[in-house]
Amino acid sequence: GGVGLALIGAAAGISKRFGLTLAMMARRHLLMTLEVTNKDASFPWVLHWLTKQGHRSQHLSVNTNIMKNVDGTSRLVFNMMPGPGRHLIPYKGKWFWVERERQVNSVTLESGKPWEKVLLTTFGRDPSVFDWLLEDAEKESST
């Protein structure tokens, strides 16, 4: 009776540790992550890229721009982008887990804006997919 329960408990503990170790190893060896902070030159490009992908997310932030026309009138342009939080976004046949984080209690010294980062995670071992994404983001932001 007691020995059997002890064996079952030990087996459950070992299987739990094995499962946690397996999950950690899978994250470490099967997933790639790129962190882009608002201190990096590519951050505005990545936000612009996220704006282009914004229609694919249900949790949005808005960036409102006032555009001045040649005749002196102005119009509002609303750019929707995935807001802070987690989003699943497809890009060139891969799925990206995008985590946008903003810390309002911490600001950047240069701009006085809240410290922010975007964390991009995808399956694979070839980081060139991040190069493609950053290159596309830079091209799209300059058009």
Side-chain angles (χ1 to χ4, degrees), residues 47-130:
L47 285 186
H48 184 79
W49 178 83
L50 282 172
T51 300
K52 295 284 188 184
Q53 312 304 316
H55 65 279
R56 297 181 177 144
S57 179
Q58 291 179 294
H59 308 287
L60 303 172
S61 285
V62 65
N63 181 14
T64 305
N65 292 313
I66 301 172
M67 306 298 288
K68 298 282 185 187
N69 296 324
V70 178
D71 63 2
T73 61
S74 60
R75 63 185 174 92
L76 297 176
V77 176
F78 303 105
N79 293 312
M80 303 295 172
M81 69 177 69
R86 295 183 176 132
H87 311 275
L88 191 60
I89 295 177
Y91 170 74
K92 289 194 175 182
K94 285 186 135 340
W95 285 92
F96 284 84
W97 187 251
V98 177
E99 187 171 350
R100 186 171 175 206
E101 184 180 322
R102 185 180 301 148
Q103 294 188 1
V104 292
N105 58 348
S106 178
V107 296
T108 59
L109 296 176
E110 301 86 29
S111 66
K113 293 182 179 179
W115 185 84
E116 189 171 351
K117 75 175 180 179
V118 174
L119 197 63
L120 302 156
T121 304
T122 191
F123 285 101
R125 296 182 55 95
D126 182 8
S128 63
V129 69
F130 293 128

